[in-house]
Amino acid sequence: MYNEVMNATLPEFCTEIAQLVRSHLAPGILRKKMSQFHEKDIALALTLLTTEECQALFRILSAETLANILEYSGRLDEYIRELTIRKQVDVLSQLEAATAAEYLHRMEKAERNTLIELMDEDVRNEIMLLSSFDEDEIGSRMSTNYISLCAGSSVRQAMRTLIDQAAEHDNISTIYVVGEDGILVGAIDLKKLIIAREQTEIDAIT
């Protein structure tokens, strides 16, 4: 159950968010006002809302925004079940694949299969890859959240590739280098790549 009693120890902005949700604003206006807060702040404010108020807020938020909020909330399982099937699929598709796979693993098989079948093929394949291993197998620790570069590239080319991939991946402190056959040949610390001269081949700093 959602906590319906305001917690006096919560920051003042949590009360402000709760009041906005209860103010009966038009969906577009409420969505715009919510965008002024960080997703982590909204997640904290959810503890002040009733089930119905949470559902009303979830309906007007984009799947991407809602996915970020629910990850911060620490109550993903509880909140996501309040969504429609379509919204669940959209939110799960926006989560880190490993997080989505863990959530689906905790569901009943029939319900899990329904959600997976409704996902886009790329998302479905990524989640199924990560969820196809038992917990004691190394595959259960795999992640698709990484950036890879081609061996033989210059630092300038590598930086361009890094910028392109960074839009989809945030785990970039270590960058992996693969050969033409796609096999890992080494790794580069992001700091070394940044300070290297543009014409240097990345093989020299791998």
Side-chain angles (χ1 to χ4, degrees):
M1 294 293 293
Y2 296 108
N3 184 4
E4 299 182 15
V5 180
M6 289 190 176
N7 188 332
T9 64
L10 291 176
E12 185 176 344
F13 62 75
C14 289
T15 302
E16 182 180 352
I17 292 171
Q19 290 174 340
L20 284 171
V21 174
R22 295 168 180 150
S23 62
H24 304 295
L25 294 170
I29 296 176
L30 180 57
R31 189 183 306 112
K32 185 175 182 179
K33 287 186 176 294
M34 288 296 108
S35 69
Q36 299 171 5
F37 297 93
H38 192 279
E39 288 96 340
K40 189 173 184 179
D41 298 338
I42 300 174
L44 191 58
L46 293 181
T47 59
L48 300 179
L49 303 178
T50 64
T51 300
E52 292 74 19
E53 289 166 346
C54 284
Q55 291 173 340
L57 177 61
F58 295 166
R59 280 196 296 271
I60 63 103
L61 296 175
S62 69
E64 181 179 6
T65 298
L66 186 52
N68 291 332
I69 292 171
L70 297 189
E71 283 199 278
Y72 279 121
S73 73
R75 297 165 66 179
L76 176 66
D77 289 29
E78 179 180 347
Y79 289 134
I80 203 168
R81 290 184 180 279
E82 301 296 338
L83 307 176
T84 63
I85 294 295
R86 183 68 260 175
K87 193 86 173 205
Q88 286 187 45
V89 171
D90 292 342
V91 169
L92 287 169
S93 298
Q94 293 294 330
L95 293 172
E96 292 285 351
T99 301
E102 288 176 7
Y103 171 76
L104 290 166
H105 183 71
R106 295 191 291 270
M107 299 181 70
E108 293 293 332
K109 184 176 180 180
E111 189 177 1
R112 176 173 64 243
N113 289 342
T114 297
L115 292 175
I116 291 175
E117 288 174 4
L118 291 171
M119 292 177 177
D120 291 340
E121 184 177 1
D122 290 345
V123 175
R124 180 169 63 247
N125 291 341
E126 192 173 7
I127 289 175
M128 290 184 70
L129 171 65
L130 296 176
S131 61
S132 60
F133 299 92
D134 293 331
E135 291 182 1
D136 59 349
E137 294 182 291
I138 191 63
S140 67
R141 298 299 180 184
M142 285 169 39
S143 172
T144 57
N145 182 22
Y146 67 90
I147 288 178
S148 63
L149 304 173
C150 294
S153 302
S154 67
V155 167
R156 184 175 184 178
Q157 292 170 323
M159 288 300 297
R160 190 176 298 119
T161 301
L162 172 63
I163 292 170
D164 290 341
Q165 294 189 39
E168 298 182 3
H169 305 287
D170 54 17
N171 186 14
I172 59 175
S173 58
T174 300
I175 301 166
Y176 299 95
V177 182
V178 297
E180 292 182 359
D181 53 7
I183 294 177
L184 177 70
V185 298
I188 303 173
D189 185 274
L190 176 60
K191 294 178 181 178
K192 288 187 177 181
L193 180 61
I194 291 173
I195 64 176
R197 294 181 180 276
E198 284 192 350
Q199 300 309 317
T200 302
E201 288 196 0
I202 62 171
D203 296 16
I205 58 173
T206 299

